[in-house]
Amino acid sequence: MKKIITILTLVLCMVLPACGTQSNSSSTSPSSEPYKTMGEAMAQSGKSNVFGYSFGDGHIKIMTDDYVCEASLSQEVQDKLNAVEFDADDRDEQFAEILKDVPVEKIELRSESKLTDEQISSLIGKKGQELLDLGFEYYGYNLNEENAQFFLDKNGYSYTVVMEEHYDESDDMDATEVIGKSTIKEITPQF
């Protein structure tokens, strides 16, 4: 199995002025944005309040306060990233150096990942698969006697999603599958 490294560090978005705004622009071309290479984006991510990155299977995604950058990775570059010690003090700097010649293929405003009040309202009563299709990822759950609560995140925007259904916890529960078939009752931002 290929090694996948994920590092995600989140600081409450309330601190960020950008969290309160919603841009209507769609994905932008890398030539019009500040990062031309993934190395530049990685170097900036360490200076951001909200940041994260993940790589594996020939792909990398880097998140800063304002942008989400993505690119394909050659096996050679991925092997170099995998060779960096996980707990190295200068891990991010090593990653930035390795990625200095990897061009950004896709860049978008991170604020586009935030759900608007209108979007939240339109999702109530629909299946959780709609959130998964929007790119939200599951990172935890709470199963109480009344209903299931799932914690979902997309690019640093985290939500508690309460479902109509109740489930009993089991060792073989596939949370992503359960989310997809469940009916959304409530969505609450966590930032």
Side-chain angles (χ1 to χ4, degrees):
M1 178 182 279
K2 291 188 177 185
K3 179 179 176 186
I4 298 176
I5 296 178
T6 302
I7 304 292
L8 183 60
T9 304
L10 299 174
V11 177
L12 294 174
C13 281
M14 286 184 185
V15 183
L16 301 174
C19 291
T21 62
Q22 179 72 27
S23 170
N24 292 329
S25 65
S26 59
S27 294
T28 55
S29 114
S31 62
S32 66
E33 298 305 335
Y35 313 124
K36 297 197 181 348
T37 71
M38 296 303 282
E40 292 173 5
M42 179 62 73
Q44 182 60 39
S45 72
K47 301 172 187 169
S48 298
N49 292 313
V50 175
F51 70 94
Y53 51 87
S54 62
F55 60 86
D57 296 329
H59 181 263
I60 186 166
K61 176 170 121 175
I62 299 173
M63 179 177 58
T64 68
D65 285 344
D66 299 317
Y67 297 99
V68 178
C69 304
E70 298 185 61
S72 300
L73 290 177
S74 69
Q75 188 61 52
E76 177 186 357
V77 170
Q78 187 164 315
D79 289 345
K80 288 179 182 178
L81 292 171
N82 287 335
V84 175
E85 289 294 325
F86 181 78
D87 57 354
D89 290 339
D90 65 341
R91 178 189 60 225
D92 294 349
E93 291 82 2
Q94 290 184 58
F95 285 166
E97 178 63 24
I98 293 166
L99 295 167
K100 70 181 180 182
D101 295 324
V102 176
V104 171
E105 294 173 1
K106 178 182 174 187
I107 187 169
E108 60 187 8
L109 291 171
R110 191 179 74 83
S111 61
E112 291 178 357
S113 299
K114 180 181 179 187
L115 294 174
T116 65
D117 291 342
E118 184 178 295
Q119 287 172 313
I120 289 173
S121 294
S122 72
L123 288 164
I124 304 301
K126 297 195 175 163
K127 297 296 181 190
Q129 188 62 45
E130 298 221 14
L131 282 168
L132 299 175
D133 292 344
L134 288 171
F136 281 86
E137 297 178 357
Y138 147 82
Y139 68 91
Y141 62 85
N142 179 22
L143 304 178
N144 61 40
E145 294 177 12
E146 295 178 29
N147 46 40
Q149 298 177 2
F150 293 95
F151 309 112
L152 302 176
D153 177 88
K154 182 177 180 186
N155 297 326
Y157 292 100
S158 300
Y159 299 87
T160 300
V161 182
V162 178
M163 302 301 189
E164 296 282 351
E165 296 82 4
H166 162 74
Y167 300 99
D168 292 321
E169 188 168 0
S170 66
D171 291 337
D172 62 343
M173 182 174 116
D174 180 342
T176 302
E177 182 180 316
V178 171
I179 291 167
K181 69 180 183 181
S182 300
T183 306
I184 300 169
K185 179 179 181 179
E186 182 182 319
I187 301 174
T188 306
Q190 293 182 352
F191 46 88

